[in-house]
Amino acid sequence: MIDELAASGLQSDARRAEALVRGALARGHGPLRIRRDLAAAGLDLELAEDALPADEGSWAEELDALVLRRFGEAPPADGREWARRARFLAGRGFPEGLVRRRLGPPPHDRR
């Protein structure tokens, strides 16, 4: 059945991958999580890579937009808040290096 749909152009794994990526980007997911979700959906790795934005600059922009939406413009007040933000962003699927560049070095905890 699916082979027949694919042959007639009604089903396309590439379109499905693109739709999943668009939805994931709208939810603020990063490249690591999107790749994992696409693999879980049974899509070919090559199709998944083709559907994802290729350059790190676009991921940095996505990360910036997510940080502003979620946390505002204020930097983390202390080490605990920095770690909370870093865990949230890592859970959304952003690579550690990109998160560290966006959040800056962890502030020292002043108690």
Side-chain angles (χ1 to χ4, degrees), residues 22 54 87-88 102 104:
R22 276 193 311 273
R87 280 191 308 274
F88 172 80
R102 175 58 174 93

Side-chain angles (χ1 to χ4, degrees), residues 1 10 14 21 34 41 60 83 90:
M1 177 75 168
L10 296 175
V21 168
I34 294 172

Side-chain angles (χ1 to χ4, degrees), residues 43-98:
L43 292 170
D44 181 64
L45 180 60
E46 188 174 314
L47 283 175
E49 290 301 322
D50 289 344
L52 290 169
D55 63 283
E56 191 172 304
S58 62
W59 289 116
E61 290 173 12
E62 293 292 334
L63 180 60
D64 288 344
L66 177 60
V67 168
L68 287 175
R69 272 194 325 265
R70 178 71 181 200
F71 305 112
E73 297 206 18
D78 55 24
R80 176 176 279 167
E81 176 63 16
W82 187 94
R84 185 181 75 80
R85 291 181 185 192
R87 280 191 308 274
F88 172 80
L89 298 170
R92 286 292 178 110
F94 288 94
E96 179 183 353
L98 201 55

